[in-house]
Amino acid sequence: MIKIAVYGKGGIGKSTTVSNVAAAMAQQGLKVMQIGCDPKADSTVLLRHGNPISTVLDLVRTRRNDFTLEDMVTEGFAGVLCVEAGGPAPGMGCAGRGIIAALEKLKEKGAYDVYRPDVIIYDVLGDVVCGGFSMPMRGGYADSVFVLTSGENMAIYAAANIATAVNNFSGRGYAKLGGLILNRKNVKREEEKVQELAEDIHSEVISRLSYSTLVTDAEERKMTVMEAWPDSEMAMEYRSLAEKILSVCSRDIGGDDHA
């Protein structure tokens, strides 16, 4: 079982990228589980055509422990298993603690043993990397962390903080830094700035995604690009990214520490 965490600044296109990558992996015949770790609970929305699902924290709040594994897990496009951790009501609690509670509940209910996914992808808000937001990096959860960024200054800043957090945890058996993913916004010096960041954090840019209107067009249809335009160049880019992520993870599991 390959376990991946994808972090990035809010609004960078992380959930869209993760959903397309999850769909690409599923279309290769892998069983994929995508776990949204954002209080907005919108990580898997494109895989579900916008249909609502109960978040783990909603179930805990309304039904305590009187719910099943099937109540937490919904099958989406291409068979991707969709889970949303959810968050507290605004002003009523800590979102980070909510992530911890949700991931612990999935373990308690035996989600990984029952569904036996080949790949688990944690989609994590990366504006802050503390408390529950660092949970997917910890031992027993993700093996590799990938950071999505553009060349925008705040995205670069967030990516640097995330990479620093991963490296600070490196001696504890936590996840390794798998690399950066450039999600182009076509800002000035974008390639150069992201490459400089990769060098600063002793990592690599594993993929460069084009800025494409197909992505937003697919979102308006409440679909992934993989579903809406499977033969497009953008779909090919997501397939290539999926293959690269799996390659990096296989290398890490084999003991090649490149971070």
Side-chain angles (χ1 to χ4, degrees):
M1 184 163 59
I2 294 173
K3 295 171 286 184
I4 302 158
V6 179
Y7 282 75
K9 183 184 181 301
I12 197 64
K14 177 173 44 60
S15 294
T16 298
T17 300
V18 168
S19 294
N20 277 285
V21 166
M25 290 179 178
Q27 288 177 331
Q28 292 177 21
L30 297 172
K31 183 177 284 188
V32 183
M33 177 178 284
Q34 180 172 324
I35 302 175
C37 299
D38 187 318
K40 296 193 303 298
D42 59 356
S43 171
T44 63
V45 66
L46 298 180
L47 294 164
R48 301 182 278 104
H49 297 162
N51 294 319
I53 60 172
S54 297
T55 71
V56 177
L57 284 186
D58 281 343
L59 290 166
V60 170
R61 275 195 298 266
T62 60
R63 296 164 62 175
R64 297 196 177 180
N65 201 41
D66 185 23
F67 57 89
T68 67
L69 189 53
E70 289 73 20
D71 292 324
M72 292 192 290
V73 182
T74 300
E75 186 171 307
F77 172 69
V80 177
L81 301 169
C82 302
V83 179
E84 294 286 356
M92 297 300 292
C94 172
R97 289 180 182 175
I99 294 170
I100 294 173
L103 295 185
E104 287 178 346
K105 188 59 68 174
L106 283 167
K107 259 190 172 181
E108 178 188 316
K109 294 285 187 179
Y112 313 122
D113 294 327
V114 171
Y115 291 104
R116 301 188 66 81
D118 300 303
V119 182
I120 297 174
I121 308 178
Y122 301 95
D123 173 12
V124 195
L125 182 66
D127 291 73
V128 292
V129 190
C130 61
F133 291 100
S134 68
M135 185 77 169
M137 297 182 183
R138 303 181 187 182
Y141 292 97
D143 300 310
S144 299
V145 171
F146 296 88
V147 184
L148 194 77
T149 187
S150 69
E152 297 163 303
N153 289 338
M154 291 307 296
I156 292 278
Y157 178 76
N161 283 341
I162 296 160
T164 298
V166 176
N167 287 329
N168 284 342
F169 288 144
S170 62
R172 306 184 194 177
Y174 284 16
K176 298 177 181 179
L177 182 60
L180 300 177
I181 301 165
L182 169 56
N183 193 32
R184 290 188 181 98
K185 301 295 184 182
N186 291 350
V187 299
K188 291 182 179 179
R189 296 184 59 246
E190 188 159 41
E191 295 269 354
E192 184 181 347
K193 287 161 68 177
V194 174
Q195 184 58 44
E196 287 173 356
L197 172 61
E199 292 169 4
D200 288 344
I201 62 176
H202 308 292
S203 189
E204 61 180 327
V205 183
I206 68 161
S207 183
R208 294 165 172 83
L209 297 172
S210 299
Y211 180 81
S212 173
T213 57
L214 285 185
V215 177
T216 51
D217 290 346
E219 289 176 345
E220 288 182 5
R221 296 187 181 195
K222 299 181 180 179
M223 293 180 181
T224 59
V225 172
M226 301 306 300
E227 180 177 8
W229 291 284
D231 299 322
S232 65
E233 290 186 11
M234 198 65 222
M236 291 299 297
E237 289 191 22
Y238 285 127
R239 290 189 187 99
S240 177
L241 173 56
E243 290 171 4
K244 182 62 178 178
I245 288 173
L246 293 173
S247 174
V248 170
C249 290
S250 296
R251 184 178 69 187
D252 283 354
I253 290 170
D256 182 3
D257 187 353
H258 65 284

